[in-house]
């Protein structure tokens, strides 16, 4: 294991994502330590040899002393409280997060006066499991990590966040917060809602339906196995964007139902869905090169590149 070659990282919250990040950062050579609210999580992390404490103030003061990159890895309902503590004890630290929405986090960061050193982040990785026991240092290998390029983003904290994401094995997609939230409403939050709907529908069919259930039901309901409170914490902060996408999905289903009733056919829905899945399977990214962080319009260049399928593999 490499030791202390890349600076310090302070992870606030050591559940699935935060704990996996702590593991990956230590493995990549960072002097990484963390905080967790639950004592059981602290004990479990320490038993595995990781530097985790249940004293948030102490951890933040330590982060300030070593100029750590602070990573917020708590659910959205806890973000405001954590930001208040950061403002009080580590306001000079570079700051990022791994929360599944970016607009509400950015708004909260601004309310606490921390936007100068903040760069939003969202690793697109996870499982239906939760807690320290589910953590995996390899969780981010080959994953996409969204990193903010909103107006006002500063080069130094942005570079630190990108470097951490790359060192954890991810590729980086530069995103604007509002555009990120619109996109994840479609490819992350709506799937959660549809999985819950499908799981409820299957269960309503009783023992026979569940007894006959196989691959399509299993795969379609995988994320419905996520703890309900966590699903709500992921989806509800993005209510506006998710609501719009739900309207589209409902309209699509209503149209399919009427077509099935009138013509006995699902052709329109099935063909459109097939094209969508094929587009996903055939998606291609390209490497963003030639953008110099801090140069004129570097944020604009990265915003445009991210929208067009570009990824960063190095800085």
């Amino acid at each position: 294991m490499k030791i202390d070659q890349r600076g310090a990282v302070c992870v606030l919250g050591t559940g699935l994502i935060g704990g996996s990040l702590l593991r990956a950062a230590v493995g990549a050579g960072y002097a990484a330590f963390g905080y967790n609210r639950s004592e059981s999580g602290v004990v479990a992390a320490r038993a595995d040899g990781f530097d985790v404490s249940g004293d948030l103030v102490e951890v933040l003061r330590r982060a300030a002393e070593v100029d750590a990159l602070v990573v917020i890895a708590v659910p959205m309902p806890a973000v405001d409280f954590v930001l208040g503590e950061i403002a009080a004890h580590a306001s000079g630290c570079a700051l990022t997060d791994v929360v599944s929405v970016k607009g509400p986090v950015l708004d909260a960061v601004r309310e606490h006066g921390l936007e100068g050193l903040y760069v939003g982040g969202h690793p697109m990785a996870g499982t239906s499991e939760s807690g320290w026991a589910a953590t995996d240092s390899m969780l981010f290998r080959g994953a996409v990590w969204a990193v903010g390029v909103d107006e006002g983003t500063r080069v130094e904290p942005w570079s630190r966040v990108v470097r951490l994401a790359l060192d954890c094995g991810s590729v980086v997609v530069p995103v604007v917060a509002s555009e990120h939230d619109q996109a994840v409403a479609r490819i992350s939050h709506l799937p959660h809602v549809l999985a819950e709907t499908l799981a409820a529908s299957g269960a309503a069919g009783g023992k026979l339906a569940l007894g006959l259930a196989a691959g399509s039901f299993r795969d379609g309901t995988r994320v419905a196995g996520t703890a309900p409170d966590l699903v709500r914490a992921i989806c509800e902060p993005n209510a506006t964007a998710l609501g719009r996408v739900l309207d589209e999905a409902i309209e699509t289903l209503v149209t399919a139902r009427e077509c099935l009733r009138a013509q006995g056919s699902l052709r329109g829905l099935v063909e459109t869905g097939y094209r969508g899945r094929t587009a996903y399977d055939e998606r291609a990214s390209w490497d963003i090169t030639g953008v110099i962080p801090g140069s004129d319009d570097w944020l604009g260049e990265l915003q445009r590149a991210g929208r067009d399928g570009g990824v960063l593999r190095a800085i």
Side-chain angles (χ1 to χ4, degrees):
M1 181 182 293
K2 304 173 186 176
I3 300 295
D4 197 9
Q5 298 297 312
R6 297 179 179 275
V9 173
C10 172
V11 182
L12 305 180
T14 57
L16 171 64
I17 302 300
S20 295
L21 176 54
L22 180 62
R23 286 183 180 275
V26 169
Y30 290 85
F33 56 96
Y35 156 81
N36 197 66
R37 181 179 62 84
S38 74
E39 182 62 23
S40 61
V42 172
V43 170
R46 286 179 171 176
D48 284 347
F50 291 87
D51 187 355
V52 177
S53 168
D55 188 331
L56 179 58
V57 172
E58 177 186 62
V59 168
L60 288 174
R61 287 175 176 168
R62 178 181 173 187
E65 289 174 1
V66 299
D67 189 30
L69 169 61
V70 175
V71 183
I72 299 173
V74 299
M76 187 64 209
V79 166
D80 189 68
F81 169 76
V82 169
L83 284 171
E85 295 300 294
I86 293 171
H89 304 289
S91 61
C93 288
L95 178 64
T96 188
D97 71 288
V98 292
V99 181
S100 64
V101 289
K102 299 276 64 78
V105 176
L106 180 58
D107 290 343
V109 166
R110 287 170 173 161
E111 289 175 6
H112 287 276
L114 296 169
E115 66 272 21
L117 294 174
Y118 171 72
V119 178
H122 181 199
M124 304 300 297
T127 72
S128 61
E129 304 299 319
S130 61
W132 178 262
T135 60
D136 180 0
S137 64
M138 302 299 288
L139 184 66
F140 310 110
R141 290 284 174 184
V144 168
W145 196 309
V147 175
V149 286
D150 295 274
E151 293 304 319
T153 298
R154 297 184 182 179
V155 172
E156 195 275 336
W158 180 85
S159 298
R160 290 183 71 176
V161 174
V162 170
R163 188 172 295 112
L164 175 62
L166 296 176
D167 286 342
C168 288
S170 296
V171 297
V172 168
V173 173
V175 294
V176 174
S178 60
E179 295 173 2
H180 166 277
D181 291 354
Q182 292 170 28
V184 296
R186 295 181 178 277
I187 54 84
S188 177
H189 302 161
L190 179 63
H192 271 286
V193 174
L194 295 179
E196 305 290 355
T197 304
L198 180 57
S201 177
K207 294 181 180 179
L208 176 60
L210 294 179
L212 294 172
S216 59
F217 183 81
R218 181 194 62 238
D219 296 345
T221 61
R222 181 184 64 82
V223 294
T226 306
D229 286 347
L230 181 56
V231 175
R232 293 185 61 192
I234 289 170
C235 296
E236 290 175 359
N238 204 21
T240 300
L242 178 55
R244 286 195 294 265
V245 176
L246 271 171
D247 285 341
E248 289 183 16
I250 290 168
E251 182 177 349
T252 297
L253 290 172
V254 168
T255 300
R257 182 194 65 192
E258 296 307 313
C259 187
L260 185 64
R261 285 176 176 173
Q263 304 172 23
S265 175
L266 290 173
R267 179 176 178 177
L269 174 62
V270 171
E271 291 187 351
T272 301
Y274 178 79
R275 288 194 297 272
R277 174 65 197 204
T278 300
Y280 167 75
D281 289 336
E282 296 177 351
R283 69 198 187 283
S285 61
W286 53 275
D287 291 355
I288 301 170
T289 58
V291 178
I292 301 174
S295 62
D296 291 344
D297 197 35
W298 70 283
L299 289 172
E301 290 182 60
L302 289 174
Q303 290 167 6
R304 291 186 289 273
R307 292 184 195 115
D308 196 36
V311 300
L312 287 165
R313 301 183 189 273
I315 56 172

